[in-house]
Each structure stands twice: as structure tokens, then as C-alpha cells.
Amino acid sequence: PPPHHEDNGNGENDQVISSASPTNSSQSDDEPPKPAKSATSRSTPKVSKNQPSKRTSTKGSTNSKKGAKSASEKKLERLQGYLRKAGVRTRSWNDFFAGAKSTAEKIRRVENKLQEIGIEGRPSLEKCKKVKQRRELAKELEDILGDDRD
């Protein structure tokens, strides 16, 4: 088909538009043409098959996925959170768990500590808050009574 002239409204022909042109046939008359992307912006860096990927870690994680935890590890972390909510602070969990060979043994130690501080049965945030208030009040009383005795 022959090219046709586009009229800009003042009687002059500004552009010659070919209807056979694949780039202009899909654009409307109001939109300016889009600039072509350069070859450098489309290229992706090549990774050699011999080099390890930067995203994979070679350091010692036994799990294939980082962050993948067993149900017992999740339970241990949840119980540790209850201890923290109850106001129990440990300087080092490694010291607290010294000698524990399994996750089940670590869970038993945390559950025993929860019972020692007064959380009986299934732990909850409400129980932890009550125990924390009780512990803080007892500490304040001890500080006040301890100062009077001197």
C-alpha cells in the first residue's frame, strides 16, 4: 500500500506514515514512538558452569534450604519466646543448653524452667505476663526490704 500523509490540522503534512510499517501500525497517533532498548541493557551476565553461584552457601548448614526447621526446633523457639515474655533472660542459650545432645533434651530444659518460674500446663502469653509481673514485684520488694535491712 502507498504511504499516506498525516495532517497536523494546519494544512501541512508533517509525517509520512507507511501502513506497511510494523512499528507504527500498533501505535496511536497521539503517542510518541518508544525508544529502542540498547543491547547492553538486555544482556545478562554470563555465569560459568565451573564457578559456584554467589547465592549458594558452601558453609555448614545441614538443611538443604536456609530457614527450614523441624517441628521440634520450632517448638523449642516458641518455648524460648515464652521464657523471654515471662521476663527470664539468659546470657547465653549455649550455656543454658550446655550438655544437651538433642533438641528434645533442650525442650525438656525449657519446659522445666517454665514450671520453675510458675507457668504450669500449656504456656500462654497471659500466663507469661502474670508471671513477669509477679517476678518484677518480688524483685522490687526484695530491693526495698534488702535496703532497709542494711
Side-chain angles (χ1 to χ4, degrees), residues 55-67:
R55 294 182 184 187
T56 59
S57 174
T58 57
K59 293 186 179 179
S61 174
T62 56
N63 295 332
S64 61
K65 294 181 182 179
K66 188 174 183 179

Side-chain angles (χ1 to χ4, degrees), residues 110-123:
V110 175
E111 287 174 339
N112 289 338
K113 185 66 175 178
L114 286 168
Q115 288 178 356
E116 284 176 21
I117 63 173
I119 298 176
E120 297 293 329
R122 185 175 182 151

Side-chain angles (χ1 to χ4, degrees), residues 76 79 102-113:
L76 177 63
L79 292 173
S102 67
T103 306
E105 191 173 345
K106 292 177 183 180
I107 290 172
R108 277 193 298 275
R109 287 187 186 189
V110 175
E111 287 174 339
N112 289 338
K113 185 66 175 178

Side-chain angles (χ1 to χ4, degrees), residues 2-142:
H4 70 280
H5 295 278
E6 183 178 37
D7 189 11
N8 65 359
N10 60 5
E12 296 178 11
N13 292 331
D14 283 344
Q15 298 176 348
V16 175
I17 301 174
S18 171
S19 61
S21 172
T23 57
N24 291 335
S25 63
S26 64
Q27 293 180 348
S28 69
D29 294 337
D30 296 337
E31 296 177 13
K34 294 180 182 176
K37 293 183 180 179
S38 65
T40 58
S41 67
R42 285 185 284 183
S43 66
T44 57
K46 303 286 181 182
V47 178
S48 164
K49 291 183 180 180
N50 296 337
Q51 295 176 354
S53 172
K54 291 181 182 179
R55 294 182 184 187
T56 59
S57 174
T58 57
K59 293 186 179 179
S61 174
T62 56
N63 295 332
S64 61
K65 294 181 182 179
K66 188 174 183 179
K69 297 181 181 177
S70 68
S72 59
E73 289 172 335
K74 289 179 184 178
K75 180 178 181 179
L76 177 63
E77 286 185 2
R78 189 177 67 247
L79 292 173
Q80 286 175 309
Y82 286 130
L83 270 180
R84 285 189 294 271
K85 294 287 184 188
V88 176
R89 301 285 183 239
T90 60
R91 293 179 187 219
S92 169
W93 285 109
N94 289 332
D95 293 342
F96 184 79
F97 295 133
K101 295 181 181 180
S102 67
T103 306
E105 191 173 345
K106 292 177 183 180
I107 290 172
R108 277 193 298 275
R109 287 187 186 189
V110 175
E111 287 174 339
N112 289 338
K113 185 66 175 178
L114 286 168
Q115 288 178 356
E116 284 176 21
I117 63 173
I119 298 176
E120 297 293 329
R122 185 175 182 151
S124 68
L125 292 178
E126 293 81 25
K127 290 179 183 179
C128 292
K129 287 177 184 178
K130 288 178 183 178
V131 167
K132 183 176 181 178
Q133 288 174 348
R134 232 181 290 139
R135 288 170 53 91
E136 288 174 350
L137 182 61
K139 187 176 186 299
E140 286 178 26
L141 287 173
E142 183 180 317

